[in-house]
């Protein structure tokens, strides 16, 4: 019989917990309406958590809250009895016409044990069950250094950081948040400690009718470079460079160079804004004073690596305003690259293989070192894994990657000198035609000079290859006569005049 009663009670409790409302008190209907409002607000981003009875009952610290709806079920003389128990702001609840207890300050688990003990003492073998049917939904006010004063909905497992999310400005302090309870008690919390160190005492659950005041920050500084935790931090009174590096930045990184610390001071009442101040390890030890919006950069020893340069036909991705990647393959690039002392060119080239494209002439690359050109077969380095160069990288080397473009240059006595796309199988006069043809007043007998990529002369019958240069000579006598005849006439007139004057003076 006892097992049967427990079974019946379990079915009843399950049924009660699944119903949207109970007509017994009308409280459940209100709770369900509030819950629907919270769900709607959650969809618009105004709350971080949706009330959940299972979550509340599985949490050891769920506090009994005004607005909670509980279900109490037990058996009296084999007759199942069910009560809906609501909690109002007095926190006094009646337990099955047996007694009235004070639930203020209790967790759900504490209340559950207390209620079940009372029923068990009065009704032995009653199979008592006490569950949370609907968690309370309540409102809190957020004001201070926020975009606008807001009233937000929350529940008993909503933490302070969640309820203020999205309300703060760039001037809000996360180190000085004041919570005023409904009774007027004030407490100040430091959300940085909660986030960094997991100190949940600084990120409490909000309670009904709390007023959250976000105060204005006094100093925010930025820490960049060789520290373990770079970022922007809000400093408390008395905290300066040493605290910023060791406490907030969690100390220097392994390769940090504390002899090269650069402080950019944006706000300076004495000197011009944007002032650069150079500090060192002594400045950290002395806890150099910082002001609001200071930016501290700590250099790394890796920045002192020697550099060399790669120049020429390099493929460098750029990001346009529409966030698409592009490159300009026909424009020359100049890139500084750091390297390890004694590094072989084979390692450097393979490490930067993504910079080479279809227009990179990797077979004719060369190193410029102190004015000398040293050939380097980049093609063999890239495609022969066993190949190693005899050259080691030296500081300020320049690795030149020529362009391997399919163009033919036309220069000299043509209408439009320039570079024209190469088409295999075309003769020299085809490219002359692209350049607008020969200027017959400048050229006589189609005299042209043709040179290949390496400067070797070619005949008109030789096939034109990429990077060939065709120069049309300016060799017409008529052109030169026409060009210089006026000058010769003028000079002759001047000479005649001079002789005439000289004869007159002599006579």
């Amino acid at each position: 019989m006892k097992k049967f009663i427990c079974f019946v009670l379990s079915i009843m409790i399950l049924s009660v917990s699944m119903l949207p409302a109970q007509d017994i008190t009308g409280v459940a209907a209100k709770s369900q309406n509030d819950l629907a409002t919270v769900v709607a607000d959650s969809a618009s981003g105004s709350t971080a958590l949706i009330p959940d009875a299972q979550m509340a009952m599985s949490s050891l610290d769920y506090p009994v809250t005004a607005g909670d709806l509980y279900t109490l079920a037990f058996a009296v003389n084999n007759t199942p009895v069910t009560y809906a128990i609501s909690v109002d702001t007095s926190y006094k609840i009646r337990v099955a016409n047996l007694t009235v207890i004070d639930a203020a300050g209790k967790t759900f688990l504490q209340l559950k044990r207390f209620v079940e003990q009372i029923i068990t003492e009065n009704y032995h073998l009653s199979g008592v069950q006490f569950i949370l049917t609907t968690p309370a939904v309540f409102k809190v006010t957020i004001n201070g250094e926020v975009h606008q004063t807001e009233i937000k909905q929350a529940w008993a497992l909503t933490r302070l950081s969640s309820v203020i999310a999205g309300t703060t400005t760039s001037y809000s302090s996360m180190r000085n948040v004041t919570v005023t309870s409904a009774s007027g008690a004030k407490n100040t919390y430091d959300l940085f400690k909660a986030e960094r160190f997991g100190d949940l005492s600084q990120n409490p659950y909000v309670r009904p009718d709390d007023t959250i005041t976000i105060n204005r920050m006094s100093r925010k500084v930025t820490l960049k470079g060789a520290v373990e935790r770079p970022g922007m931090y809000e400093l408390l009174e008395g905290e300066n460079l040493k605290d910023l590096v060791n406490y907030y930045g969690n100390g220097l990184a392994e390769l940090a160079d504390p002899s090269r610390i650069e402080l950019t001071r944006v706000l300076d009442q004495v000197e011009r804004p944007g002032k650069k101040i150079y500090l060192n390890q002594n400045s950290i030890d002395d806890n150099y004073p910082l002001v609001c919006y200071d930016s501290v950069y700590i250099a790394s020893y890796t920045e002192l690596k020697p550099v060399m340069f790669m120049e020429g036909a390099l493929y460098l991705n750029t990001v346009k305003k529409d966030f698409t990647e592009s490159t300009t393959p026909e424009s020359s690039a100049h890139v500084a690259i750091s390297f390890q002392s004694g590094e072989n060119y084979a390692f450097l080239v393979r490490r930067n293989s993504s910079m080479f494209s279809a227009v990179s002439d990797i077979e004719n690359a060369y190193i410029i070192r102190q004015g000398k050109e040293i050939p380097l077969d980049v093609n063999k380095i890239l495609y022969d894994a066993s190949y190693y160069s005899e050259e080691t990288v030296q500081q300020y080397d320049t690795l030149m990657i020529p362009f391997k473009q399919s163009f033919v240059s036309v220069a000299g006595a043509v209408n439009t000198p320039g570079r024209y796309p190469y088409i295999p199988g075309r003769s020299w006069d085809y490219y002359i035609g692209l350049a607008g043809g020969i200027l017959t007043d400048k050229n006589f007998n189609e005299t042209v000079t043709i040179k290949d990529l390496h400067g070797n002369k070619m005949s008109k019958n030789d096939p034109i290859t990429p990077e060939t240069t065709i120069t049309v000579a300016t060799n017409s006598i008529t052109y030169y006569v026409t060009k210089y005849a006026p000058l010769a006439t003028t000079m002759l007139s001047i000479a005649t005049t001079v002789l005439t004057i000289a004869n007159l003076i002599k006579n």
Side-chain angles (χ1 to χ4, degrees):
M1 179 62 69
K2 179 180 178 181
K3 292 183 178 179
F4 175 74
I5 293 173
C6 291
F7 175 75
V8 172
L9 289 175
S10 299
I11 296 299
M12 292 176 62
I13 291 173
L14 180 62
S15 300
V16 170
S17 65
M18 294 178 63
L19 290 174
Q22 297 293 328
D23 294 331
I24 307 172
T25 62
V27 177
K30 178 179 183 302
S31 299
Q32 292 294 337
N33 290 335
D34 287 342
L35 178 58
T37 303
V38 172
V39 172
D41 287 345
S42 179
S44 63
S46 63
T47 186
L49 293 174
I50 299 175
D52 183 87
Q54 283 71 33
M55 179 183 292
M57 289 189 290
S58 65
S59 300
L60 296 177
D61 56 350
Y62 180 83
V64 177
T65 304
D68 281 350
L69 180 63
Y70 297 91
T71 297
L72 173 64
F74 58 96
V76 179
N77 297 325
N78 298 329
T79 302
V81 179
T82 302
Y83 291 90
I85 300 176
S86 62
V87 181
D88 59 22
T89 54
S90 70
Y91 286 90
K92 306 294 183 181
I93 64 174
R94 181 176 294 279
V95 181
N97 297 322
L98 296 176
T99 185
V100 175
I101 63 175
D102 186 2
K106 289 183 171 59
T107 65
F108 164 73
L109 186 58
Q110 291 170 338
L111 179 63
K112 173 182 172 67
R113 290 172 177 170
F114 192 21
V115 170
E116 290 181 351
Q117 180 183 355
I118 293 173
I119 298 299
T120 302
E121 289 176 352
N122 288 273
Y123 301 100
H124 299 289
L125 303 176
S126 60
V128 61
Q129 296 278 347
F130 184 77
I131 66 169
L132 172 62
T133 307
T134 305
V137 178
F138 53 84
K139 295 181 179 180
V140 296
T141 302
I142 306 171
N143 60 24
E145 186 54 54
V146 292
H147 294 292
Q148 60 183 17
T149 297
E150 293 187 44
I151 297 177
K152 280 195 171 187
Q153 290 184 325
W155 71 302
L157 291 183
T158 301
R159 291 195 178 272
L160 176 60
S161 61
S162 297
V163 78
I164 69 172
T167 66
T168 59
T169 72
S170 57
Y171 303 100
S172 301
S173 172
M174 295 294 100
R175 312 295 306 276
N176 186 16
V177 180
T178 303
V179 178
T180 305
S181 68
S183 64
K186 291 187 177 183
N187 292 286
T188 301
Y189 299 99
D190 186 340
L191 292 176
F192 169 79
K193 291 182 178 179
E195 180 182 353
R196 171 67 72 86
F197 306 110
D199 183 359
L200 295 182
S201 67
Q202 298 298 315
N203 189 19
Y205 294 129
V206 294
R207 302 298 295 152
D209 296 320
D210 275 352
T211 298
I212 302 169
T213 302
I214 301 177
N215 298 295
R216 189 179 178 89
M217 65 88 181
S218 57
R219 278 188 306 161
K220 281 186 179 180
V221 298
T222 302
L223 179 61
K224 299 183 291 185
V227 291
E228 292 188 3
R229 288 177 174 265
M232 177 176 284
Y233 296 103
E234 181 183 350
L235 302 186
L236 301 180
E237 185 177 356
E239 294 180 336
N240 287 295
L241 182 61
K242 184 176 182 179
D243 306 287
L244 177 66
V245 173
N246 295 334
Y247 180 70
Y248 295 94
N250 209 39
L252 297 172
E254 291 182 357
L255 297 177
D257 182 4
S259 66
R260 296 186 298 128
I261 302 175
E262 182 181 286
L263 186 152
T264 302
R265 179 146 293 172
V266 178
L267 298 179
D268 195 324
Q269 297 178 353
V270 179
E271 302 189 36
R272 61 180 178 81
K275 174 185 177 183
K276 295 282 187 180
I277 303 173
Y278 298 97
L279 309 174
N280 52 34
Q281 180 65 55
N282 291 335
S283 306
I284 297 177
D285 297 337
D286 296 339
N287 209 15
Y288 187 89
L290 301 174
V291 301
C292 192
Y293 301 125
D294 275 356
S295 177
V296 177
Y297 176 78
I298 299 178
S300 170
Y301 285 115
T302 58
E303 298 171 5
L304 298 177
K305 285 184 178 180
V307 296
M308 57 82 64
F309 304 95
M310 290 178 65
E311 186 172 341
L314 302 176
Y315 183 92
L316 300 178
N317 282 335
T318 56
V319 180
K320 296 181 179 179
K321 290 183 179 180
D322 59 358
F323 300 104
T324 59
E325 291 187 352
S326 66
T327 187
T328 307
E330 293 183 26
S331 62
S332 182
H334 183 83
V335 184
I337 297 176
S338 59
F339 64 94
Q340 298 289 347
S341 297
E343 184 173 3
N344 189 282
Y345 259 102
F347 289 97
L348 183 136
V349 168
R350 289 165 184 156
R351 180 158 47 89
N352 296 282
S353 59
S354 61
M355 292 187 181
F356 305 116
S357 69
V359 300
S360 302
D361 188 1
I362 55 179
E363 294 180 352
N364 295 291
Y366 57 93
I367 304 164
I368 300 177
R369 181 181 295 160
Q370 298 179 352
K372 297 180 181 180
E373 294 185 4
I374 304 171
L376 184 69
D377 192 345
V378 174
N379 182 71
K380 197 168 185 179
I381 291 174
L382 292 176
Y383 299 109
D384 185 351
S386 62
Y387 177 78
Y388 291 92
S389 172
E390 296 180 357
E391 295 294 332
T392 57
V393 188
Q394 296 186 19
Q395 191 169 14
Y396 306 130
D397 275 0
T398 299
L399 177 58
M400 292 295 302
I401 309 296
F403 282 91
K404 184 171 62 177
Q405 299 174 336
S406 297
F407 289 92
V408 172
S409 299
V410 181
V414 291
N415 279 290
T416 312
R419 289 170 59 79
Y420 296 94
Y422 169 75
I423 298 179
R426 300 288 182 167
S427 60
W428 66 275
D429 54 342
Y430 167 78
Y431 298 101
I432 296 295
L434 292 179
I438 295 176
L439 297 174
T440 55
D441 60 331
K442 292 184 178 182
N443 181 269
F444 174 73
N445 200 28
E446 294 186 345
T447 304
V448 297
T449 302
I450 305 174
K451 294 183 178 181
D452 65 13
L453 174 63
H454 303 288
N456 301 318
K457 286 189 176 182
M458 303 166 59
S459 70
K460 292 182 179 179
N461 296 325
D462 291 333
I464 300 299
T465 57
E467 288 304 305
T468 294
T469 300
I470 303 172
T471 305
V472 180
T474 302
N475 61 349
S476 172
I477 297 176
T478 304
Y479 168 75
Y480 285 111
V481 170
T482 304
K483 181 177 181 179
Y484 296 110
L487 178 61
T489 301
T490 301
M491 295 299 295
L492 183 60
S493 297
I494 293 173
T496 303
T497 302
V498 170
L499 291 174
T500 300
I501 294 173
N503 288 332
L504 291 174
I505 293 173
K506 183 177 181 181
N507 294 331

